[in-house]
Amino acid sequence: MYQSVSTKNSRLLPSGSWALMLHAMPWFAGKMLLPPPFGGFGMNMGVGDAVDLGWKLAAVLQGWGGAKLLDSYERERRPVHKHVMNEATANHSLLSNALLEEGMEDDTPEGEARRRHAGQRIRAGKLSEFYTLGTILGDCYADSPVIDRAGHARPDDAQRDFLNYVPCSEPGYRAPHAWLHDGSSLYDHFGPGLTLLVSAARREQAVAAASADAARRGIPLVVVRPHIGATQSLYPNALTLIRPDQHIAWAGEKWPAGGGALAFALGLEA
């Protein structure tokens, strides 16, 4: 996938395989022109890049995104590409020609044993290439200038599990999904702008303040108040501010005075 978008500063913002190649060039200097495709991450990266950049362009063009918002694109997506590059490179270490053994196609007990051995090597060596939900969904925009992670430690990529996706409601992570009691998906209730998810009772004052702050600045804000039992374990904070790309911008127990959470999330002046 090769995409580019021209911004008001006439910069090119690459996405997908093109972005993956650019991020990989210093690492692969003099070795190869394109990163290894093992893992099939290129399309996932392209979609993630387009979603991240798309809502920010829309916000700026529609007047509710600030000057810092577009600058956050690279700060958010480059670390994701770097992590994926490391995964793809590791997957490149075991290729099909390394699995060949003389006589493995023979219709003999020895041939059967060699095929069984090759199967064991495939299962052990290719697990991170074909089962990658943790890699695809577990990214956190920890270095973003428009995500408020105050009070949260920086995630350690070295401890990240490629196989298992563990939902996390800290700012920077993808908002955990939940099926609601009416059978609908929580994601279907998110708005095209920002979404304030309320997962605690008696937060009318906070909701009113957030709605007023958004209206004053012309920011599209949808308030979602699902049945508490459906989301409270996934969202321990009473209030969670979610972006159009489903990443969490801010979370807390009380709504900040003056709409500071909205301004920070959109790169606006406070």
Side-chain angles (χ1 to χ4, degrees):
M1 181 176 293
Y2 296 87
Q3 299 175 344
S4 63
V5 178
S6 178
T7 71
K8 63 181 181 180
N9 295 322
S10 299
R11 291 176 299 172
L12 293 178
L13 301 178
S15 67
S17 298
W18 180 240
L20 200 60
M21 183 183 75
L22 291 181
H23 295 320
M25 277 183 172
W27 206 91
F28 283 94
K31 298 180 181 179
M32 59 193 305
L33 293 178
L34 287 172
F38 301 99
F41 297 120
M43 179 61 75
N44 286 304
M45 292 297 100
V47 171
D49 292 343
V51 171
D52 185 284
L53 182 58
W55 81 264
K56 293 171 181 176
L57 284 171
V60 171
L61 291 173
Q62 293 170 13
W64 49 277
K68 299 178 182 178
L69 193 57
L70 291 181
D71 292 334
S72 69
Y73 168 72
E74 183 176 354
R75 292 276 298 276
E76 292 182 356
R77 296 301 297 170
R78 181 178 283 271
V80 176
H81 280 272
K82 182 179 179 181
H83 178 79
V84 166
M85 273 302 311
N86 291 337
E87 292 294 312
T89 303
N91 293 337
H92 186 245
S93 62
L94 179 61
L95 302 181
S96 57
N97 58 353
L99 299 169
L100 294 175
E101 295 183 26
E102 186 176 353
M104 69 182 303
E105 295 182 345
D106 294 348
D107 188 15
T108 63
E110 291 78 10
E112 174 64 26
R114 291 187 176 95
R115 289 191 292 274
R116 189 180 305 112
H117 180 246
Q120 292 170 348
R121 291 186 65 194
I122 291 172
R123 284 191 291 271
K126 290 295 187 180
L127 186 66
S128 63
E129 182 173 346
F130 298 111
Y131 299 93
T132 59
L133 201 59
T135 298
I136 298 302
L137 297 179
D139 46 278
C140 176
Y141 296 153
D143 297 323
S144 174
V146 293
I147 288 179
D148 186 357
R149 283 188 52 83
H152 296 282
R154 195 182 191 288
D156 184 0
D157 252 6
Q159 302 299 319
R160 184 167 161 187
D161 184 3
F162 67 85
L163 179 62
N164 296 295
Y165 164 59
V166 180
C168 180
S169 60
E170 289 182 7
Y173 284 97
R174 191 181 314 273
H177 178 263
W179 291 106
L180 304 185
H181 289 197
D182 63 0
S184 64
S185 164
L186 175 62
Y187 286 176
D188 288 344
H189 296 266
F190 292 172
L194 298 180
T195 297
L196 182 64
L197 178 66
V198 183
S199 53
R202 297 186 297 277
R203 288 297 189 276
E204 287 75 12
Q205 187 174 355
V207 169
S211 299
D213 290 337
R216 186 175 66 254
R217 289 178 173 266
I219 298 170
L221 177 70
V222 169
V223 177
V224 177
R225 304 191 71 165
H227 187 283
I228 293 175
T231 59
Q232 197 168 40
S233 61
L234 291 172
Y235 295 89
N237 287 291
L239 305 168
T240 303
L241 188 64
I242 302 169
R243 312 187 319 182
D245 62 355
Q246 299 173 350
H247 279 262
I248 297 171
W250 170 89
E253 293 300 311
K254 297 181 179 180
W255 184 251
L262 295 175
F264 194 91
L266 297 173
L268 297 166
E269 295 297 328

